Amino acid sequence: MDSEDDTRDSADEDFYSGGEAGLALSDDGDADYDFADRDSDDSDDLISHRQQQNYSVLSETDIKQHQADDMNRVSTVLSISKSEACALLRSYNWSVSKVHDEWFVDEARVRTAVGLPEKQNEMPNERELTCGICFESCPRESMGAASCGHPFCGVCWRGYISTAINDGPGCLMLRCPDPSCSAAVGQDMVNLFASDEDKGKYERYLCRSYIEDNRKTKWCPAPGCEYAVEFVVGSGSYDVSCGCSYGFCWNCTEEAHRPVDCSTVSKWILKNSAESENMNWILANSKPCPKCKRPIEKNQGCMHITCTPPCKFEFCWLCLGPWSDHGERTGGFYACNRYEAARQEGAFDDSERRREMAKNSLERYTHYYERWAANQSVSDFQLS
């Protein structure tokens, strides 16, 4: 049975796989946009309209509504409970069309994988039942069971569910406490036995699962923002402006960087965070002490260098030889005849070449970094 979500998800499959439903590309590889003839005054409206088609910003209320709509759709089409529909959607990353496809291909296999018995098993019809965890005999009305029918007392159920919820999002895939059973423990059991605090945690995990497991939605990466973004087929631009006014790239979740591609941005961020530029600066602006090898920076003064304690080695900055071998005959405090003679013979070619390459690389990096930092500060000012 086809549904509205089937059409939407199948279009998404083509879009992400580069199929026919995705963007049509022109001969030169650019997206082929069909602009209507409009006055230049309407350009802002056109851009705004295209952006509205490109993505939608979801608040917490919107997320829960989308989630409820998907569960209702699956529950109606497959004639199952909403709790079972929720378990199915979680197992298939909240893709309604994927659930429908897998279910109608092999319902028995899907039920086994998700933990949904084909037949709802009831607890034994006796006045008192033995809890499978504490082995206490309890009245039947104080017992509970998942769809498998294994009975456990209310106290054990509360402890089991509370422990799972406090352990983290894994509680969304909770199974029957019986070691030999793989029946799913759904949201209906959580609502029946969990405390109000645990119910709130479970609902938050469920809400986050809808965004984080769904490939069409992502959280806004801005600090403290609780909005999510659902990307909609219809444009080649990944630029997104969240409800908190933060602009980012939906594809890589970094700040909006069009027309630069995501791969280049990733390399730039790695370069800024790596230690490579620190090493380039050290190589370009310092020399190692000939004795202890610690890097030393010389920014002014004569060629007589004294290393810091405990080394205290005195040497010539140019030739790196002991200062005791230097004096007026070698050029004094501001020159070194030994260095000039050795350099003419090529003795310092390799070290000078490495230092020169490091200096050029550092200057090039600094040139672009200063411009990037200036643009960044302007963007931050506009957002504040």
Side-chain angles (χ1 to χ4, degrees), residues 232-378:
V232 181
V233 177
S235 172
S237 171
Y238 288 115
D239 288 354
V240 168
S241 180
C242 180
C244 66
S245 301
Y246 181 77
F248 67 97
C249 170
W250 192 90
N251 188 47
C252 66
T253 67
E254 298 295 343
E255 290 189 43
H257 52 74
R258 197 179 183 190
V260 181
D261 60 86
C262 297
S263 176
T264 303
V265 171
S266 177
K267 293 176 182 177
W268 173 254
I269 293 174
L270 178 63
K271 189 175 184 65
N272 286 342
S273 61
E275 293 294 323
S276 59
E277 295 309 319
N278 293 342
M279 295 306 299
N280 273 340
W281 189 94
I282 291 173
L283 184 60
N285 296 279
S286 68
K287 291 183 180 181
C289 169
K291 184 177 180 181
C292 68
K293 305 303 180 185
R294 283 189 296 180
I296 298 175
E297 178 191 6
K298 177 184 177 300
N299 52 23
Q300 60 183 352
C302 66
M303 301 302 166
H304 180 199
I305 304 296
T306 302
C307 187
T308 56
C311 178
K312 296 184 178 180
F313 181 70
E314 299 182 32
F315 63 96
C316 172
W317 174 258
L318 293 176
C319 70
L320 302 180
W323 188 254
S324 58
D325 297 339
H326 289 67
E328 292 296 331
R329 66 184 187 280
T330 61
F333 284 90
Y334 292 92
C336 180
N337 297 337
R338 291 184 178 182
Y339 169 76
E340 295 296 336
R343 190 176 66 169
Q344 291 178 2
E345 296 175 0
F348 293 99
D349 284 354
D350 290 340
S351 60
E352 290 293 338
R353 188 183 304 110
R354 286 196 300 270
R355 188 170 290 107
E356 188 64 26
M357 289 176 61
K359 187 175 294 186
N360 292 337
S361 175
L362 185 63
E363 289 176 354
R364 186 169 181 264
Y365 169 75
T366 304
H367 171 83
Y368 290 108
Y369 182 83
E370 288 175 349
R371 283 150 182 78
W372 173 81
N375 182 70
Q376 189 81 355
S377 63
V378 171

Side-chain angles (χ1 to χ4, degrees), residues 3-15:
S3 65
E4 180 183 347
D5 190 79
D6 295 336
T7 305
R8 184 179 65 180
D9 277 12
S10 62
D12 289 351
E13 293 288 345
D14 289 335
F15 175 76

